[in-house]
Amino acid sequence: MNVPAFGLGTFRLKGQTVVDSVRTGLELGYRAVDTAQIYGNEAEVGQAIADSGVARDQVFLTTKVWVENLSRERLIPSLRDSLAKLRTDHVDLTLIHWPSPNDAVPVDEFMGALLQAKRDGLTRAIGVSNFNIDLMQRAIAAVGADQIATNQVELHPYLQNRKLAQFAREAGIGLTSYMTLAYGKVLSDPVLVDIAAKHRATPAQVALAWAMQLGYAVIPSSTKRENLAGNLLAVSLRLDDADMQRIARLDRGERLTDPDGLAPAWD
């Protein structure tokens, strides 16, 4: 299964804020929505989709299993709870949100349980998030590369993750870029501002287009209608080789998400 190149993220959005964001996004033409058990907003995302008037089979819905639910006994029941909150009998993609801290639950155990969830019809595709190369290799050994739809990782102009990207490409596994705008830092970057002016675009559109031209899916979030609409225009923006090379030179290994006790040893 191909993961849609452009989707709507819901990280840090709660309550009516996430309902409004998802509803507005769907109204504007978004057809992929990304949530997670730990976000605490699955019920609101489900409400927004149900109230939107957009048919469920027209929305590519992703959720992520939290580390406390990775054991064979807990993974599928936790996913069923997510489905109830999301008001659906299946999601399109289920990811392991973070690897099990200190390998408390072996990779083959939670990947096996995730594959069983797929076979049970609870999710159409499966994948991982925040996995380094070693963990990806173990996930591949557990279920096969052809079963892993994506690895969702922090990836933006200041953290381009080239070693991981090369490994994923060679394994035939897509990457999904989260935090593509680097918490908004790219919006004032002189290089992106200059490229944006050249294309009569915004720096956000340039960063998102850059990631998509490299073959990554993106899931930006916003609470403002104008930003949601503006981000969506990145789909039709084409950067030239010179633009791509200038952005390539911005890589400085600046990681913004590295939680103690969760993060693996990054490549």
Side-chain angles (χ1 to χ4, degrees), residues 22 26 33 44-54 56 59 61 86:
V22 173
L26 292 171
V33 180
E44 289 80 3
V45 168
Q47 176 191 334
I49 293 172
D51 293 347
S52 70
V54 177
R56 169 67 188 90
V59 180
L61 183 56
L86 289 163

Side-chain angles (χ1 to χ4, degrees), residues 178-191:
Y178 73 75
M179 217 174 286
T180 318
L181 306 183
Y183 280 141
K185 288 187 176 188
V186 301
L187 304 184
S188 58
D189 186 279
V191 171

Side-chain angles (χ1 to χ4, degrees), residues 217-252:
V218 296
I219 45 169
S221 66
S222 181
T223 58
K224 298 180 179 177
R225 184 183 186 90
E226 59 268 31
N227 290 343
L228 288 165
N231 288 346
L232 196 54
L233 293 174
V235 173
S236 57
L237 174 60
R238 295 299 298 175
L239 305 179
D240 60 36
D241 289 345
D243 300 330
M244 296 296 286
Q245 289 166 13
R246 291 180 72 191
I247 298 172
R249 290 194 288 269
L250 295 177
D251 190 14
R252 57 195 188 209

Side-chain angles (χ1 to χ4, degrees), residues 120-135:
D120 290 347
L122 305 180
T123 184
R124 292 177 62 212
I126 63 175
V128 298
S129 180
N130 298 300
F131 274 37
N132 61 15
I133 291 172
D134 172 62
L135 286 159

Side-chain angles (χ1 to χ4, degrees), residues 153-155 159-166 251 255 267:
V153 293
E154 179 184 347
L155 201 153
L159 181 70
Q160 297 189 19
N161 252 325
R162 291 194 180 103
K163 282 179 65 178
L164 181 70
Q166 181 179 348
D251 190 14
R255 188 175 298 279
D267 298 298

Side-chain angles (χ1 to χ4, degrees), residues 107 111 135-146 148 167 171 173:
V107 172
M111 291 305 298
L135 286 159
M136 286 186 74
Q137 288 172 327
R138 287 192 262 162
I140 290 167
V143 298
D146 60 329
I148 302 171
F167 175 83
I173 296 172

